[in-house]
Amino acid sequence: MIYADNAATTPVSPAAREAMIDAMDRLWGNPSSLYSFGQKAEEALSDARARVAGCLGAEAGEIIFTSGGSEADNQALRSAAALGAKKGKRHLISTAFEHHAILHTLDALRAEGFEVTLLPVHEDGLVRPEELAAALRPDTALVSVMFANNEIGTIQPIAELGAICRAAGVLFHTDAVQAAGHLAIDVKAMNIDMLSLSGHKFHGPKGVGALYVRKGVPVVPLIRGGAQERRRRAGTENLPAIAGMAAALEEACAHLEENGAKVSALRDRLIAGLSAIPHAALNGAASPRLAGNVNFCFEGIEGESLLLMLDDAGIAASSGSACTSGSLDPSHVLLAIGRPHEVAHGSLRLSLSEANTDEDVDHILKEVPRVVEYLRACSPVWDELQKGERDYVIL
């Protein structure tokens, strides 16, 4: 079976697994306890915090451990909104193709009286810095723009966007769930005030993530109770998961260049091969794009049928975010970049890792055209397109 859905989740690396087992076997004390069992656990927790911070160009005290990217996103937005409200600033800016952890939190804040502006992302899947600058207002409390899109893989000009926000005195948050462990990140140089990441996107365990918060930015806890995480996130820390995530992130960041070169070569072969299928189109700009992301629309077919038949052919892929896989609606990301509903339904996301091979790409390039051709032969929509009874969208 070829696994090509690494944007949804990744297998746990040996380094992460070893760190988790060590924590469960040797460091099972409560980090908040004063006796030696607890202090050993606290030392390991502090070490993991410093290692995660080091991968981001941050300080250890600026890292809050969470249950994952969604919690980190929620805490970042809630904290910035609360701080803004105290200053009479109730305007928030984000983009139309954010992860639903951002969009749904913005919906909730809108219901609480905040005004939300969603920037367009255009056909290339990129945010225009000048449009962000034009959208800023005196009452803007926060800008949140994802580092790299989870569906189409386009990488945003984060440093430039951050500089615009810093100059305007507006907090800047980025959802870096798809970027961390895959792209070089320096929160100081990029003018990032808050950043979210999730362990299972870079070969760490599920159920653990982190929120970077620049020193001096107040944080509102979502979970109250104990004094853990400097009173910013109550609950006994999940040390095995945290240790595994730190090990995975450190390993991923140590091999960014070599892994990126290998995976991007596989990606480019896939893009070239799939582009040869008639009436198929790559979603988003070819560059800048995550090394492992390939996202296509194929006119005249349904993505769900494509995925099921590819699974039978030994290929695990997706049509978009795993968080919305149960939805029958077309991807909001594809709609945001201008794909019409009938084309957005026929999407395929292949997301590769350094574990994939040239042989994997050969097999994918053999099976995808075959399955697309079969599905089109069964499709009344394709029949109408072929007969000229409706116009092609993808030429």
Side-chain angles (χ1 to χ4, degrees):
M1 188 73 176
I2 295 171
Y3 185 68
D5 199 20
N6 288 275
T9 196
T10 56
V12 174
S13 69
R17 186 181 301 110
E18 183 179 342
M20 294 171 70
I21 291 172
D22 179 62
M24 288 186 282
D25 286 349
R26 190 176 61 86
L27 303 167
W28 44 264
N30 189 318
S32 297
S33 300
L34 296 180
Y35 44 74
S36 59
F37 291 114
Q39 290 310 293
K40 287 180 181 179
E42 170 57 33
E43 289 173 6
L45 182 66
S46 296
D47 177 66
R49 198 184 307 279
R51 292 164 74 186
V52 170
C55 292
L56 303 174
E59 299 175 23
E62 296 174 314
I63 302 299
I64 303 170
F65 290 121
T66 68
S67 64
S70 291
E71 182 188 331
D73 283 344
N74 273 256
Q75 187 167 20
L77 267 60
R78 285 282 178 187
S79 297
L83 178 63
K86 288 182 179 179
K87 299 178 179 180
K89 297 183 176 183
R90 303 181 70 85
H91 178 232
L92 311 172
I93 298 175
S94 190
T95 79
F97 77 159
E98 296 294 312
H99 189 278
H100 280 118
I102 296 292
L103 294 177
H104 288 174
T105 303
L106 290 173
D107 286 342
L109 289 168
R110 187 184 287 110
E112 295 169 20
F114 288 85
E115 186 178 348
V116 176
T117 296
L118 295 181
L119 299 174
V121 288
H122 304 279
E123 186 178 0
D124 59 7
L126 297 173
V127 173
R128 304 290 191 266
E130 61 272 19
E131 292 181 347
L132 169 60
L136 290 172
R137 303 185 334 203
D139 64 337
T140 301
L142 171 73
V143 172
S144 180
V145 178
M146 67 192 333
F147 207 116
N149 187 263
N150 55 306
E151 292 193 27
I152 61 175
T154 48
I155 301 168
Q156 304 307 313
I158 292 299
E160 190 173 354
L161 300 176
I164 291 170
C165 292
R166 186 63 56 86
V170 175
L171 288 177
F172 180 57
H173 165 257
T174 184
D175 177 337
V177 166
Q178 293 293 328
H182 303 285
L183 298 172
I185 298 174
D186 186 327
V187 292
K188 307 299 184 187
M190 293 177 168
N191 297 296
I192 297 169
D193 296 304
M194 295 183 283
L195 176 147
S196 308
L197 60 82
S198 187
H200 74 109
K201 303 295 188 177
F202 46 80
H203 302 290
K206 296 174 181 62
V208 63
L211 174 64
Y212 155 76
V213 181
R214 180 174 57 81
K215 185 185 298 183
V217 175
V219 177
V220 174
L222 298 183
I223 303 173
R224 301 177 184 273
Q228 293 87 355
E229 299 300 295
R230 298 186 180 181
R231 299 187 180 277
R232 298 174 297 183
R233 203 266 188 184
T236 303
E237 296 91 348
N238 183 355
L239 183 56
I242 290 169
M245 177 177 69
L249 183 59
E250 198 168 56
E251 182 177 51
C253 290
H255 299 282
L256 277 180
E257 188 172 341
E258 62 188 271
N259 287 343
K262 176 187 177 181
V263 178
S264 60
L266 298 176
R267 174 204 65 196
D268 292 345
R269 278 193 62 210
L270 266 181
I271 291 175
L274 296 178
S275 295
I277 298 174
H279 305 287
L282 180 70
N283 291 311
S287 178
R289 172 182 291 264
L290 288 170
N293 182 284
V294 177
N295 191 304
F296 266 79
C297 278
F298 303 100
E299 192 161 5
I301 67 170
E302 289 288 337
E304 183 178 3
S305 300
L306 176 60
L307 296 182
L308 293 173
M309 290 193 68
L310 288 179
D311 185 53
D312 287 340
I315 301 167
S318 72
S319 59
S321 172
C323 301
T324 57
S325 60
S327 174
L328 296 177
D329 294 329
S331 160
H332 74 285
V333 172
L334 298 184
L335 296 180
I337 65 171
R339 296 295 188 205
H341 282 68
E342 63 271 22
V343 170
H345 271 299
S347 65
L348 172 68
R349 182 185 70 181
L350 298 159
S351 45
L352 308 175
S353 79
E354 64 278 5
N356 289 112
T357 65
D358 282 312
E359 290 73 22
D360 292 344
V361 172
D362 291 340
H363 185 67
I364 293 170
L365 289 177
K366 173 187 173 184
E367 293 299 327
V368 173
R370 179 188 65 81
V371 173
V372 169
E373 183 179 8
Y374 173 83
L375 291 174
R376 282 174 169 173
C378 303
S379 168
V381 172
W382 184 251
D383 185 57
E384 292 174 3
L385 289 166
Q386 291 283 84
K387 291 177 179 178
E389 296 173 0
R390 66 166 70 192
D391 294 331
Y392 289 103
V393 175
I394 301 175
L395 302 178

